[in-house]
Structure formats: C-alpha cells, structure tokens
Amino acid sequence: MYQFCTITMESLGNEGQGIGTLPSGKKVFVPGVLPGEVCDIEITNENNRFCEGRCINLISSSPDRIMPWGEYEPGADLGHLSYDAALNFKQDKVRGCLLRIGRIAQEVIDNAMLPIIPCKDTNNYRNHMQYKVVDGCLCLINNLTMEPEVVESSNLEYKIFSKVRKSIENVFDNAPNRLFTEVIMRGSVRTNELLIELVSGCTETHEVVIGNVRKYVEATKMVDKLISSIDGDDFKLNGLTLRISPTSRDRRVRSGTRAVIYGVDYYDEILLLKRFRIHAGAFFQVNIPQAELLYSCATDFISDAASILDLYCGTGSIGLSIRSENQKLFGIETVAEAIRAAKENASINGVNDATFAVKPAEKTDFSKLNLPEPMVVVVDPPRKGLDSLLIGKLLSQKPYKICYISCDPATMARDLKKLLSTGIYKIESVQACDMFPGTHHVETCLLLSQLD
C-alpha cells in the first residue's frame, strides 16, 4: 500500500470527493480536492476495490476552486467548487446514474433531460439546521475531518439562526451543563416563525430529564433570552421543545420522546401559496423556493389526471401543493404522526376531499382505493429508493403516469431500470434541481407515462 504519493485528480465522485489513480492502478477517493488538481495525499483506508485518502498538500489548484485549500465550511462539502462547475457536476451526476445504473440509452437520456434548475440564492437557504453541542458551543460537522467544528457564521443556515446560536451559547457559557447533545433549529422566513429543539442523551427516566430541563430553562431565562435575540428581526419563537434520545440509534434517526418546554411543537410554512404546519421531527424540504420550482415540474404533467395517489406522502406537502381542485388526492404513509399532520394540513388549506391513511405502500392494492381514472402515482421515497415489492405493484397495476421525486439519483436510476424493463412506461422528462448549493446533493423530478 502507498502510504504517501503525489497524484492528479481526474474526476469527482458521486459524493463530491476527488478521484485519482494510484501507481498500482487502484482508484483513490480524496475529499476536498477537484479534478485537475495535483496533490500529495496520505492513504487512510484501503480495501480490495479502492482506497480512501486525505490531501496533505495541494501542489496546483483547479480554476474552478473558489476557496483556498485549507479553508473549509462545515456542512458544505462542495463549498470550494464554483457554482457553475457545481451545477455541471450535479447534472452530470444524474445523467451518469441513468446511463450506468439505469442502463438507459444515451439518446433517450439526451431527449429527456432538461437543464438543471439553479438556485437563485445560494447562501443562507437552509430552514433546518442540526448542531452538535461541544463544550457549550453549537458546532457543525467538518466533512473533511468528520469532527464537530465551532462556527461563527454559516453560509448554509438562515441568518436568524446565527443570532439564536449565539444566544444559546451564551446561556450554556454562563450555566454549563451536561443535559444537551444537540440543538435543532427550524423556521420560515415567510411566516417569521421559529421552532427550536433541544436534544438530550440523558438516560434517566423521561420524567426526571424533562423536569431537569424545565428547571434549567427557567433558571437561565433561556426563553426570554431567545425571544430578545430575535425581537429586532420580527421573528416569533413558536416553541422550544425537548427530544430525549438516549441511544446512538435514536440520535442517528432523530427519534425519541418529545416534550414541549415552551409554546407549541410546530411552526408554519408557505409553499406554493399553501400553508403547512410542520411539527418537531417531521420531514419538510429545507429550501422552500427550490422545492416550489421542483414540485411545479409535476403540475402540468399530472393536470389531465382525475386522481393522485401520493405514496410516501409524509405531511402531505407534495400532493396538497400540486393537486388541482378537481383532482382526488389519496396519500399513503407508514408513519402515523405524519398522516395526522397531513390531515391537519389538508384542513388548514380547506381541502375536504383528500384522504390520508397509514398504510405500507408496497402492500396496498391500488384498485381497492376506488380512485377515479386516469390515476397518477407520485412517489418521494427515502434515500434508499423504492421497495422492490412496490415496484412490482406499480408494474402490475399500471397507473396512468408516475412522478418520481428523488433525493438520490443512484437509487432512482436503479428503480427506473426495473420500471422500464417491461416496456409499459417511457421517460417523459428528467429535471434535476439544485436544492442544496454548496453540497454534492441534488434533487430530481422524473416523469414516466405509459407507452402509446
């Protein structure tokens, strides 16, 4: 194994790492470096197929580098890459996954792919941030070192979050404690509402932990200080909640027991002129303007459908956003809390004919839902993609159209290969959208229709 060597980076991997070739011919993945850059690297891990390394000296820089080597913004694993180059990378990433994993013909891809939707505001776009508490400081993870790092300001977070962070750090500095492991901030610049969640890894009984946190918050006047920190910006602190996550799994999947310490456990957001209530722990897109552009891609496509079956519907944001008044909406989700929120959001927006149910999509007989035809299916699965049983269900029950919204083009391409294998569907369009500037992530809206 080569412990140290000098190589030229050749390309970017799907997760934004530089890829080079060692003298042995084995590929090496190095975070923080760009194609064309020459660097001294140290091998940190090796297996039979590839190596991982770290750059210890950058000899020559790429013209696409916008941040000096050695400077790095936590959470922004491609913050050092120019925006035009980042857009090209993400478009090529989607294209490459369709070609290599989906085995789709180049001509089909070229005809279907639309230009990627750029993000107008590439800074301060995230409405949801997660910070680790280290020695009283709220930290973000440095993707190069994978260690928490103190941040004075972040180009990712809403600007108001910076003021809230400093207020919380001031409280922790004056009243050190071992109660909290993380702080979650969420909010809307359209409704000017904020929701803050304190996360505790304490293993005592929930009653004891909740009691201790209430006493701490009251003794430190945390709520008053938080309200004071945002008062001049016309923001409102909707709520301060506590999540007790005593195990590493709880913290990883962001689950556990929740309690309201102050106010309520939700904030409201405006998306495509509709109002959504987002409770603590619920999934919602982190970049609202880009989500609107992405969801709008499906609106015209599904306009001729009589009904929409929204699988993995979550809080109902997609289905309720894109449906027209004459379309029947049926949402399915396995998380009961999400379905309760979807029903609440339907009520808030005056939608009385939508149905939401707690069901596993892969075990649902679409024909028994009695939805008017033609029916379009909308899927927005987690990063792992569609369940194989659900793909079989789609192919056997043959919905009129399928709208696939994806946060991972690799699993989308894998699923697409199966969906196209029987000759029932064709690709109408593929729309990549830069939902996450400064990172390697890309969102995609892919539309399928039945062959004529």
Side-chain angles (χ1 to χ4, degrees):
M1 183 173 79
Y2 300 90
Q3 291 295 330
F4 299 93
C5 60
T6 301
I7 61 172
T8 300
M9 290 297 138
E10 301 159 358
S11 60
L12 284 179
N14 277 349
E15 295 184 3
Q17 324 98 312
I19 301 177
T21 304
L22 297 175
S24 64
K26 187 176 290 187
K27 297 296 183 181
V28 59
F29 292 80
V30 184
V33 291
L34 301 174
E37 294 188 331
V38 180
C39 54
D40 295 327
I41 66 167
E42 176 187 13
I43 303 300
T44 57
N45 187 37
E46 183 175 12
N47 60 36
N48 292 332
R49 296 172 49 240
F50 62 88
C51 294
E52 296 174 330
R54 70 181 183 93
C55 176
I56 56 178
N57 179 42
L58 190 65
I59 298 173
S60 66
S61 295
S62 164
D64 291 323
R65 176 175 288 277
I66 59 173
M67 188 178 294
W69 180 72
E71 293 185 16
Y72 188 77
E73 181 177 359
D77 54 13
L78 280 182
H80 54 288
L81 181 62
S82 72
Y83 192 58
D84 285 345
L87 289 176
N88 290 335
F89 161 72
K90 294 182 183 189
Q91 181 83 339
D92 289 344
K93 177 178 177 177
V94 175
R95 183 188 301 274
C97 287
L98 294 175
L99 186 64
R100 296 190 307 273
I101 301 173
R103 301 294 183 185
I104 299 169
Q106 182 71 55
E107 181 181 359
V108 174
I109 297 173
D110 289 343
N111 290 333
M113 282 205 73
L114 302 171
I116 188 170
I117 299 174
C119 186
K120 179 180 178 182
D121 296 317
T122 58
N123 291 328
N124 308 115
Y125 62 85
R126 285 192 63 99
N127 61 24
H128 183 173
M129 294 291 290
Q130 179 176 351
Y131 310 92
K132 286 192 173 295
V133 179
V134 180
D135 296 329
C137 294
L138 273 58
C139 303
L140 295 174
I141 298 300
N142 185 315
N143 291 79
L144 285 181
T145 65
M146 299 310 296
E147 296 294 329
E149 183 175 306
V150 177
V151 183
E152 286 298 322
S153 64
S154 168
N155 286 329
L156 300 181
E157 66 186 5
Y158 276 177
K159 290 181 179 179
I160 192 67
F161 290 174
S162 178
K163 293 186 176 183
V164 176
R165 273 195 300 107
K166 291 173 183 176
S167 178
I168 294 176
E169 288 177 337
N170 182 261
V171 171
F172 288 169
D173 186 52
N174 288 299
N177 70 90
R178 297 183 180 179
L179 287 170
F180 310 115
T181 59
E182 298 174 26
V183 174
I184 312 295
M185 294 186 202
R186 307 183 73 172
S188 168
V189 295
R190 297 182 174 184
T191 65
N192 281 12
E193 296 178 357
L194 296 179
L195 180 65
I196 300 171
E197 183 168 80
L198 304 171
V199 182
S200 176
C202 293
T203 56
E204 290 92 344
T205 63
H206 295 162
E207 293 79 7
V208 169
V209 177
I210 293 170
N212 288 339
V213 169
R214 289 190 187 280
K215 291 175 183 177
Y216 180 88
V217 169
E218 182 178 354
T220 59
K221 300 187 184 303
M222 179 184 283
V223 171
D224 290 340
K225 291 176 180 177
L226 289 172
I227 293 174
S228 177
S229 71
I230 63 177
D231 183 56
D233 295 272
D234 296 324
F235 274 85
K236 174 189 175 184
L237 178 63
N238 260 31
L240 177 68
T241 66
L242 169 69
R243 187 181 88 221
I244 305 172
S245 299
T247 69
S248 58
R249 181 189 178 279
D250 287 337
R251 292 188 287 275
R252 186 175 67 254
V253 301
R254 303 177 188 179
S255 66
T257 300
R258 284 187 166 85
V260 176
I261 304 301
Y262 164 81
V264 294
D265 71 338
Y266 63 82
Y267 73 98
D268 285 359
E269 180 62 273
I270 305 296
L271 175 70
L272 288 173
L273 303 181
K274 294 184 172 61
R275 195 174 191 93
F276 291 92
R277 184 148 293 172
I278 305 164
H279 291 265
F283 169 79
F284 209 79
Q285 292 287 6
V286 303
N287 188 333
I288 298 304
Q290 291 302 98
E292 289 181 324
L293 294 175
L294 184 72
Y295 294 171
S296 294
C297 296
T299 304
D300 291 339
F301 179 71
I302 68 168
S303 61
D304 59 347
S307 61
I308 302 171
L309 178 57
D310 187 3
L311 307 181
Y312 307 94
C313 72
T315 59
S317 60
I318 298 178
L320 290 170
S321 295
I322 66 176
R323 69 175 286 275
S324 60
E325 290 185 5
N326 62 343
Q327 288 177 318
K328 174 68 176 177
L329 173 63
F330 198 112
I332 292 176
E333 172 65 66
T334 58
V335 180
E337 289 180 358
I339 289 298
R340 285 194 292 271
K343 292 178 179 179
E344 182 180 26
N345 286 325
S347 177
I348 289 172
N349 290 285
V351 179
N352 301 315
D353 59 347
T355 303
F356 295 95
V358 181
K359 290 176 176 286
E362 64 275 9
K363 296 181 181 179
T364 300
D365 186 343
F366 304 158
S367 63
K368 292 184 178 181
L369 300 178
N370 296 318
L371 292 175
E373 295 290 345
M375 178 187 72
V376 62
V377 169
V378 177
V379 293
D380 183 16
R383 193 166 296 278
K384 65 180 180 180
L386 299 177
D387 186 284
S388 59
L389 291 176
L390 177 56
I391 294 176
K393 186 80 65 176
L394 291 169
L395 291 174
S396 66
Q397 303 200 9
K398 304 180 183 64
Y400 171 55
K401 292 179 179 179
I402 299 173
C403 173
Y404 191 135
I405 295 176
S406 169
C407 60
D408 187 338
T411 54
M412 178 190 70
R414 178 205 64 200
D415 296 341
L416 190 61
K417 181 180 179 181
K418 298 175 184 177
L419 288 169
L420 296 176
S421 63
T422 58
I424 298 172
Y425 293 102
K426 63 180 179 181
I427 302 176
E428 290 284 350
S429 66
V430 182
Q431 178 67 76
C433 177
D434 188 19
M435 193 85 77
F436 316 100
T439 77
H440 71 272
H441 298 289
V442 61
E443 203 89 359
T444 310
C445 179
L446 185 141
L447 305 177
L448 298 176
S449 64
Q450 288 189 10
L451 287 165
D452 299 330

Short mmCIF file of all heavy atoms in Angstrom, two decimals, residues 412-434:
data_model
loop_
_atom_site.label_atom_id
_atom_site.label_comp_id
_atom_site.label_asym_id
_atom_site.label_seq_id
_atom_site.Cartn_x
_atom_site.Cartn_y
_atom_site.Cartn_z
N MET A 412 -32.68 6.09 -7.64
CA MET A 412 -33.72 6.39 -8.63
C MET A 412 -33.43 5.65 -9.94
O MET A 412 -34.33 5.04 -10.54
CB MET A 412 -33.79 7.89 -8.90
CG MET A 412 -34.81 8.29 -9.95
SD MET A 412 -34.68 10.03 -10.45
CE MET A 412 -33.11 10.00 -11.36
N ALA A 413 -32.18 5.68 -10.37
CA ALA A 413 -31.80 5.01 -11.61
C ALA A 413 -31.97 3.49 -11.49
O ALA A 413 -32.41 2.83 -12.44
CB ALA A 413 -30.36 5.35 -11.97
N ARG A 414 -31.63 2.95 -10.33
CA ARG A 414 -31.83 1.51 -10.09
C ARG A 414 -33.30 1.15 -10.21
O ARG A 414 -33.67 0.16 -10.87
CB ARG A 414 -31.32 1.16 -8.69
CG ARG A 414 -31.50 -0.30 -8.28
CD ARG A 414 -31.56 -0.40 -6.77
NE ARG A 414 -32.72 0.28 -6.22
CZ ARG A 414 -32.82 0.68 -4.95
NH1 ARG A 414 -31.82 0.49 -4.11
NH2 ARG A 414 -33.93 1.27 -4.53
N ASP A 415 -34.17 1.95 -9.59
CA ASP A 415 -35.61 1.69 -9.66
C ASP A 415 -36.13 1.88 -11.07
O ASP A 415 -37.01 1.14 -11.54
CB ASP A 415 -36.36 2.62 -8.70
CG ASP A 415 -36.00 2.39 -7.24
OD1 ASP A 415 -35.48 1.30 -6.93
OD2 ASP A 415 -36.24 3.29 -6.42
N LEU A 416 -35.61 2.87 -11.77
CA LEU A 416 -36.06 3.17 -13.13
C LEU A 416 -35.75 2.01 -14.07
O LEU A 416 -36.54 1.69 -14.97
CB LEU A 416 -35.41 4.45 -13.61
CG LEU A 416 -35.92 5.05 -14.91
CD1 LEU A 416 -37.40 5.41 -14.78
CD2 LEU A 416 -35.11 6.28 -15.29
N LYS A 417 -34.61 1.39 -13.86
CA LYS A 417 -34.24 0.24 -14.70
C LYS A 417 -35.33 -0.84 -14.63
O LYS A 417 -35.71 -1.44 -15.65
CB LYS A 417 -32.89 -0.32 -14.24
CG LYS A 417 -32.40 -1.50 -15.05
CD LYS A 417 -31.05 -1.98 -14.52
CE LYS A 417 -30.56 -3.19 -15.31
NZ LYS A 417 -29.26 -3.68 -14.78
N LYS A 418 -35.85 -1.07 -13.42
CA LYS A 418 -36.91 -2.08 -13.25
C LYS A 418 -38.24 -1.60 -13.83
O LYS A 418 -38.97 -2.36 -14.45
CB LYS A 418 -37.06 -2.41 -11.76
CG LYS A 418 -35.82 -3.02 -11.13
CD LYS A 418 -36.02 -3.21 -9.63
CE LYS A 418 -34.75 -3.73 -8.96
NZ LYS A 418 -34.90 -3.85 -7.49
N LEU A 419 -38.55 -0.32 -13.61
CA LEU A 419 -39.82 0.21 -14.09
C LEU A 419 -39.91 0.22 -15.62
O LEU A 419 -41.00 0.12 -16.19
CB LEU A 419 -40.04 1.63 -13.55
CG LEU A 419 -40.36 1.73 -12.05
CD1 LEU A 419 -40.27 3.17 -11.58
CD2 LEU A 419 -41.74 1.15 -11.76
N LEU A 420 -38.76 0.37 -16.28
CA LEU A 420 -38.75 0.40 -17.74
C LEU A 420 -38.56 -0.98 -18.37
O LEU A 420 -38.68 -1.11 -19.59
CB LEU A 420 -37.64 1.33 -18.22
CG LEU A 420 -37.76 2.82 -17.85
CD1 LEU A 420 -36.54 3.59 -18.32
CD2 LEU A 420 -39.03 3.42 -18.42
N SER A 421 -38.26 -1.97 -17.56
CA SER A 421 -37.86 -3.29 -18.09
C SER A 421 -38.99 -4.02 -18.82
O SER A 421 -38.73 -4.84 -19.70
CB SER A 421 -37.33 -4.17 -16.96
OG SER A 421 -38.37 -4.42 -16.01
N THR A 422 -40.24 -3.72 -18.44
CA THR A 422 -41.36 -4.47 -19.03
C THR A 422 -41.95 -3.78 -20.26
O THR A 422 -42.88 -4.30 -20.87
CB THR A 422 -42.47 -4.66 -17.99
OG1 THR A 422 -42.90 -3.38 -17.52
CG2 THR A 422 -41.98 -5.48 -16.81
N GLY A 423 -41.46 -2.60 -20.59
CA GLY A 423 -41.96 -1.90 -21.77
C GLY A 423 -43.31 -1.25 -21.57
O GLY A 423 -43.99 -0.90 -22.56
N ILE A 424 -43.71 -1.04 -20.32
CA ILE A 424 -45.00 -0.38 -20.05
C ILE A 424 -44.85 1.13 -20.09
O ILE A 424 -45.73 1.84 -20.58
CB ILE A 424 -45.55 -0.83 -18.67
CG1 ILE A 424 -45.79 -2.33 -18.66
CG2 ILE A 424 -46.82 -0.06 -18.32
CD1 ILE A 424 -46.15 -2.87 -17.29
N TYR A 425 -43.70 1.63 -19.59
CA TYR A 425 -43.53 3.07 -19.43
C TYR A 425 -42.38 3.61 -20.28
O TYR A 425 -41.46 2.89 -20.65
CB TYR A 425 -43.27 3.40 -17.95
CG TYR A 425 -44.46 3.14 -17.07
CD1 TYR A 425 -44.52 2.00 -16.27
CD2 TYR A 425 -45.53 4.04 -17.03
CE1 TYR A 425 -45.62 1.76 -15.46
CE2 TYR A 425 -46.63 3.80 -16.22
CZ TYR A 425 -46.68 2.66 -15.44
OH TYR A 425 -47.76 2.42 -14.65
N LYS A 426 -42.46 4.90 -20.52
CA LYS A 426 -41.39 5.64 -21.17
C LYS A 426 -41.08 6.88 -20.34
O LYS A 426 -41.91 7.37 -19.57
CB LYS A 426 -41.79 6.06 -22.58
CG LYS A 426 -42.97 7.02 -22.62
CD LYS A 426 -43.34 7.41 -24.05
CE LYS A 426 -44.55 8.35 -24.05
NZ LYS A 426 -44.95 8.74 -25.43
N ILE A 427 -39.86 7.39 -20.50
CA ILE A 427 -39.46 8.60 -19.78
C ILE A 427 -39.95 9.82 -20.56
O ILE A 427 -39.64 9.99 -21.73
CB ILE A 427 -37.93 8.68 -19.63
CG1 ILE A 427 -37.39 7.46 -18.88
CG2 ILE A 427 -37.54 9.95 -18.89
CD1 ILE A 427 -35.88 7.43 -18.79
N GLU A 428 -40.70 10.65 -19.87
CA GLU A 428 -41.15 11.91 -20.48
C GLU A 428 -40.10 13.01 -20.26
O GLU A 428 -39.75 13.73 -21.18
CB GLU A 428 -42.49 12.34 -19.88
CG GLU A 428 -43.66 11.47 -20.29
CD GLU A 428 -44.11 11.74 -21.71
OE1 GLU A 428 -43.66 12.72 -22.31
OE2 GLU A 428 -44.93 10.95 -22.22
N SER A 429 -39.63 13.13 -19.03
CA SER A 429 -38.64 14.17 -18.75
C SER A 429 -37.90 13.85 -17.46
O SER A 429 -38.41 13.13 -16.59
CB SER A 429 -39.28 15.56 -18.64
OG SER A 429 -40.13 15.64 -17.52
N VAL A 430 -36.69 14.40 -17.34
CA VAL A 430 -35.87 14.29 -16.14
C VAL A 430 -35.41 15.70 -15.79
O VAL A 430 -34.72 16.34 -16.56
CB VAL A 430 -34.63 13.38 -16.35
CG1 VAL A 430 -33.84 13.26 -15.06
CG2 VAL A 430 -35.04 12.02 -16.87
N GLN A 431 -35.82 16.17 -14.62
CA GLN A 431 -35.49 17.53 -14.19
C GLN A 431 -34.68 17.50 -12.91
O GLN A 431 -35.18 17.18 -11.84
CB GLN A 431 -36.76 18.34 -13.97
CG GLN A 431 -36.52 19.76 -13.48
CD GLN A 431 -35.83 20.62 -14.53
OE1 GLN A 431 -36.45 21.07 -15.49
NE2 GLN A 431 -34.54 20.87 -14.35
N ALA A 432 -33.39 17.81 -13.02
CA ALA A 432 -32.55 17.96 -11.83
C ALA A 432 -32.74 19.36 -11.27
O ALA A 432 -32.99 20.31 -12.00
CB ALA A 432 -31.09 17.71 -12.17
N CYS A 433 -32.62 19.47 -9.95
CA CYS A 433 -32.82 20.76 -9.28
C CYS A 433 -31.78 20.90 -8.19
O CYS A 433 -31.58 19.98 -7.38
CB CYS A 433 -34.22 20.83 -8.70
SG CYS A 433 -34.58 22.34 -7.76
N ASP A 434 -31.10 22.04 -8.16
CA ASP A 434 -30.11 22.27 -7.12
C ASP A 434 -30.80 22.76 -5.85
O ASP A 434 -30.96 23.95 -5.63
CB ASP A 434 -29.06 23.29 -7.58
CG ASP A 434 -27.91 23.39 -6.58
OD1 ASP A 434 -27.76 22.46 -5.77
OD2 ASP A 434 -27.18 24.39 -6.61
#
